[in-house]
Amino acid sequence: MSSILPRSVTSPKKFFIGSQLLSSVGKYVKDFGDNAFIISDEFFLEKVTKEAVPSLKENGIVSLVEKFNYECTEAEVNRLGKIAIENKANVIIGIGGGKTLDVSKAVAYYQHIPVILFPTIASTDAPCTALSVLYKENGEFDKYLFLPQNPDVVIADTAIIASAPQRFFSAGVGDALATYFEARACYQADGLNLVNQRPSRTGLGLAQLCFEMLSENIDKAMDAIRHKITTPALEQTIEATIYLSGVGAEAGGLAAAHAVNNGMSAVESLHRVQHGEKVVFGLLTQLVLENAPQEEIDEVIRIIKAAELPLTLEDMGMKEFIESEWRTVAKIACAEGDTMGNMPMRVTEEDVYNAMIAANALAHRYK
């Protein structure tokens, strides 16, 4: 069936990256509306009021700021949507972490108005994708909201991202590191990308550039992050983790690395591990399944260590290896419709279970 589907490339309409962009946000918004509803993380409310609101006013845009209530639920989407309607907003601005941006995308979708996203951390590539993840009131996963288009504008302020805790930045590197290897597998398999079309050569090329930019810049970027400063190396790394990873994954597709990440939700001791940290272990598992060349594994491990990401399962906080748990991980990873189906060879639950054990043993050799 997939052979009759077209290949695709999907992307935000505009992507901007630079330092001190919050105080000039108005010039990026004015082409999309003149009545802005700003949805902000609690920690950024003061900064938004002092920097973003005056910039909007200078550009003839009225605005209302509302605090995001921590969880991207259907109820929160409805609450914020009602405020947007009452205030006749014609553009949404989301400022914050992944869940704030997801709720902003969802509100804009239901109100049929543009959305401008301003990520304050670079822990995943979610800002650029046409997807919102909704959760239940108790914090459990609810559903994916697939959106008909990507955000109108994504603005990455390197100064703000550099000031966030280092772990978020490192997790973003981990998520981005898998992009090329998953897109390569999906392209070889002629699988389905994140918008359920066939992967494009452009998507694969962007994913490869993502890997190259991480490889070139990771050591210098980590120097900048440790000192909370901005440098050209940091800027290129953020460009890779937010834009190239997001567009590369959406157009190129996912494979074993993210499927294993999904399965790892079954391991209770890893519930507090960042998404990108789990994806790294999923990537090592994928490289084992592919019997990847040694020099490729060496470079992946070098980047993982440079980014100070956890390398082994024990580094992530696993106290004890329980076989039944990890067989469940393999089962979930191989579930019908998950991205394990984008591997270029047939992969069984037993294959994945064995590869995860081998991946952890491999990781221990590099300690």
Side-chain angles (χ1 to χ4, degrees):
M1 178 181 173
S2 65
S3 62
I4 63 171
L5 292 171
R7 302 190 186 278
S8 70
V9 180
T10 48
S11 170
K13 290 186 178 74
K14 296 182 178 183
F15 175 79
F16 299 98
I17 182 167
S19 184
Q20 311 298 336
L21 298 183
L22 187 62
S23 57
S24 59
V25 69
K27 69 180 182 181
Y28 303 106
V29 177
K30 64 181 180 181
D31 292 335
F32 295 92
D34 59 6
N35 187 346
F37 180 43
I38 305 173
I39 301 168
S40 172
D41 275 3
E42 181 178 13
F43 304 111
F44 273 84
L45 287 173
E46 185 178 351
K47 201 170 182 66
V48 167
T49 303
K50 286 184 177 178
E51 296 184 25
V53 170
S55 173
L56 293 168
K57 189 174 182 181
E58 286 170 16
N59 285 273
I61 303 164
V62 297
S63 61
L64 173 71
V65 183
E66 178 68 20
K67 178 172 74 76
F68 168 58
N69 281 340
Y70 311 114
E71 198 63 82
C72 183
T73 62
E74 201 163 337
E76 180 68 353
V77 171
N78 292 337
R79 181 185 78 83
L80 294 168
K82 186 177 178 184
I83 298 171
I85 291 170
E86 288 171 352
N87 288 274
K88 297 182 171 57
N90 56 21
V91 59
I92 301 292
I93 304 174
I95 301 174
K99 290 184 178 181
T100 306
L101 305 187
D102 273 3
V103 84
S104 301
K105 285 189 276 187
V107 172
Y109 163 65
Y110 286 121
Q111 302 308 317
H112 307 288
I113 55 179
V115 61
I116 285 86
L117 299 182
F118 199 103
T120 56
I121 56 174
S123 60
T124 72
D125 52 30
C128 290
T129 60
L131 174 73
S132 288
V133 183
L134 299 183
Y135 294 85
K136 297 175 183 176
E137 296 294 332
N138 63 1
E140 290 179 9
F141 170 78
D142 183 9
K143 61 185 176 183
Y144 292 117
L145 177 63
F146 292 97
L147 307 169
Q149 62 183 22
N150 300 67
D152 294 275
V153 184
V154 176
I155 305 168
D157 189 319
T158 54
I160 287 176
I161 290 170
S163 68
Q166 179 186 312
R167 187 183 180 191
F168 293 131
F169 179 81
S170 296
V173 171
D175 194 25
L177 183 56
T179 306
Y180 167 59
F181 300 97
E182 293 190 279
R184 181 179 69 181
C186 188
Y187 191 82
Q188 289 171 351
D190 203 22
L192 294 175
N193 62 22
L194 288 183
V195 292
N196 287 321
Q197 306 295 327
R198 294 163 70 208
S200 64
R201 180 67 186 274
T202 299
L204 177 60
L206 291 171
Q208 186 169 5
L209 180 60
C210 177
F211 178 63
E212 289 170 359
M213 286 171 66
L214 291 178
S215 183
E216 291 167 12
N217 291 291
I218 186 60
D219 295 295
K220 291 176 285 186
M222 290 303 295
D223 289 340
I225 281 293
R226 290 186 195 102
H227 293 89
K228 299 191 181 299
I229 58 172
T230 61
T231 63
L234 178 69
E235 183 175 289
Q236 286 197 26
T237 305
I238 292 170
E239 187 176 331
T241 59
I242 291 181
Y243 183 80
L244 288 172
S245 179
V247 176
E250 198 164 72
L254 303 177
H258 271 79
V260 170
N261 159 78
N262 294 342
M264 288 170 74
S265 63
V267 182
E268 189 173 344
S269 62
L270 301 182
H271 281 182
R272 294 189 178 275
V273 177
Q274 290 279 317
H275 169 79
E277 295 170 344
K278 290 187 288 187
V279 168
V280 161
F281 183 74
L283 172 57
L284 295 181
T285 303
Q286 178 173 324
L287 294 175
V288 169
L289 288 168
E290 294 173 328
N291 197 20
Q294 188 61 48
E295 60 270 19
E296 202 166 80
I297 294 173
D298 287 345
E299 182 58 10
V300 166
I301 296 286
R302 184 190 74 81
I303 295 170
I304 292 169
K305 293 178 82 169
E308 298 183 6
L309 284 157
L311 192 56
T312 67
L313 292 174
E314 291 77 7
D315 289 341
M316 289 184 207
M318 185 186 75
K319 304 270 192 298
E320 176 188 6
F321 184 91
I322 301 171
E323 181 178 341
S324 60
E325 271 190 337
W326 288 94
R327 289 201 175 275
T328 301
V329 172
K331 183 176 182 180
I332 294 171
C334 292
E336 187 176 349
D338 210 324
T339 56
M340 191 66 74
N342 284 333
M343 291 294 285
M345 77 290 281
R346 182 176 177 271
V347 178
T348 66
E349 291 177 25
E350 188 70 15
D351 293 332
V352 174
Y353 176 75
N354 291 339
M356 291 189 298
I357 293 175
N360 202 41
L362 180 155
H364 274 282
R365 279 198 281 113
Y366 284 86
K367 292 290 284 182

